[in-house]
Amino acid sequence: MKEQTIYSYKLLRRFRWRLAGWLFQLLLIGLFPVAASLWLKIPADRLVVTLAVLPAIAVSHLCLFRLYARLRSHHPQTTPDLLVSPWWGAGCRHPVPLRAYRGAEATVLAGSLFLAAAVFVWVPLPYGMALLWGTAVLGLPRLLALLASLRQPPHCRVKYESGSVAFLLTDG
């Protein structure tokens, strides 16, 4: 006997962050030392060490997502693709309503930007700039997926998958 579920879902759209997205992010991160060296008049090779703040941004994304999902009772989980996922391994076990998805992603984007701005005043200028720039660049997949969600019907559900976000419509 086949396993049956109560609901069946129709895939409306899948937003994937593929190799081109990763390369674009890598290009933007690589351009930071060059642009900052021109603006701050510091050699670019000395600014490369400021990119050490990037893991802190990923940790803030993960912590903010888990906090929001836990407060909304959406059963957050950390997926095994933690280091290679554009969402840094953050997701929910089950599909969530579109409204909850938008709330979670907006919270992570705004919260990480707020944290970066708050830390900016306490760290040296090159590190603060790297933190703000990295927050903007590493938030691109979330922002673009959030913008893609605006074209979906309000009653659809969102499933976090490995390297993608699927927008689903319930049949049942």
Side-chain angles (χ1 to χ4, degrees):
M1 175 178 221
K2 291 184 180 181
E3 289 186 45
Q4 295 181 348
T5 59
I6 297 172
Y7 299 106
S8 62
Y9 293 102
K10 175 184 170 191
L11 178 65
L12 295 176
R13 177 152 196 241
R14 181 171 280 132
F15 179 83
R16 288 190 177 134
W17 194 250
R18 296 185 185 199
L19 183 62
W22 284 109
L23 291 176
F24 182 65
Q25 276 184 306
L26 192 60
L27 174 71
L28 289 177
I29 288 172
L31 286 177
F32 168 74
V34 175
S37 71
L38 293 174
W39 190 55
L40 296 174
K41 308 291 188 229
I42 299 174
D45 58 343
R46 287 186 49 210
L47 289 173
V48 171
V49 296
T50 63
L51 297 178
V53 300
L54 295 179
I57 298 167
V59 169
S60 73
H61 277 218
L62 182 62
C63 291
L64 286 167
F65 180 85
R66 289 187 64 84
L67 177 66
Y68 181 86
R70 177 78 58 192
L71 291 174
R72 302 288 289 190
S73 302
H74 287 298
H75 307 289
Q77 74 175 18
T78 304
T79 58
D81 61 348
L82 178 67
L83 297 176
V84 295
S85 167
W87 287 269
W88 304 109
C92 292
R93 291 186 184 115
H94 307 291
V96 295
L98 185 61
R99 184 175 173 192
Y101 166 77
R102 287 179 182 160
E105 296 302 315
T107 300
V108 170
L109 287 170
S112 62
L113 192 56
F114 175 75
L115 285 173
V119 171
F120 180 80
V121 298
W122 297 102
V123 296
L125 182 64
Y127 285 93
M129 287 179 55
L131 189 62
L132 287 174
W133 180 258
T135 300
V137 171
L138 295 181
L140 278 176
R142 289 184 183 273
L143 179 64
L144 295 175
L146 186 62
L147 292 174
S149 76
L150 297 176
R151 298 184 63 159
Q152 306 307 320
H155 55 281
C156 80
R157 300 183 74 75
V158 180
K159 174 75 173 146
Y160 287 91
E161 298 173 341
S162 178
S164 67
V165 175
F167 298 100
L168 309 168
L169 194 59
T170 309
D171 286 342

